[in-house]
Amino acid sequence: MAAKMPLQRIGEIMKVVFEELKAAGGEARLKELLERAEPKLQLSEYAKEVYEKSGYIRWHPFVHFYSIDCAKAGYIRKADGKWHLTQQGEDALKQPPLVFMQSAQRKYRAWKSAQADIKAEAQDIVDEDDESEKVVRQTAYEQAFEASQVEIEE
């Protein structure tokens, strides 16, 4: 993310988007949420500008980026092109904006760490399987070699 925005402000934006999600019955497309949230955010003209290259409105990528933290924290589910507010997300809305985002980030980091552990464990299993396969191949080779030596000698 090229521009810097304080986490407090990101929390304010994300909470407004989540409140709009809640008001929509807990399920909505992001495009609808962004449209509904914008008038409530008191955005600067700069934040409302459109990027020339992508066509995105300047503040939208922040929502996309930080929604990953919120999804991995269990605040929302993304499915079928829609966001779905979870009970955890509804509970998180009770927190102040900064705490809301810090909590999401902390839970994201925990999720990511767990994924790294799972990947490492899976790699250990693959390494063990590779080693077992090498032993089996080596044994088969040695048996075939010995059998061929016996045939040659006869």
Side-chain angles (χ1 to χ4, degrees), residues 81-107:
K82 292 183 179 180
W83 283 17
H84 304 266
L85 185 63
T86 66
Q87 186 60 52
Q88 283 181 306
E90 205 167 322
D91 293 343
L93 278 172
K94 297 172 187 166
Q95 300 172 343
L98 181 60
V99 176
F100 175 83
M101 284 311 305
Q102 288 171 332
S103 172
Q105 288 182 325
R106 188 172 46 260
K107 290 177 180 182

Side-chain angles (χ1 to χ4, degrees), residues 9-71:
R9 181 61 176 146
I10 290 167
E12 292 166 3
I13 291 170
M14 295 304 290
K15 278 192 67 171
V16 169
V17 171
F18 274 52
E19 287 164 359
E20 290 303 318
L21 180 57
K22 183 178 178 181
E27 178 181 305
R29 296 196 180 284
L30 179 58
K31 182 179 179 186
E32 297 166 20
L33 296 173
L34 295 173
E35 290 170 359
R36 291 174 59 170
E38 187 167 337
K40 298 175 180 171
L41 289 172
Q42 301 171 352
L43 297 165
S44 67
E45 289 305 312
Y46 177 78
K48 293 179 187 178
E49 287 178 5
V50 175
Y51 284 115
E52 282 185 38
K53 290 183 180 178
S54 67
Y56 277 129
I57 297 173
R58 204 174 281 280
W59 71 276
H60 289 185
F62 286 97
V63 175
H64 287 275
F65 183 79
Y66 286 96
S67 73
I68 297 167
D69 292 350
C70 294

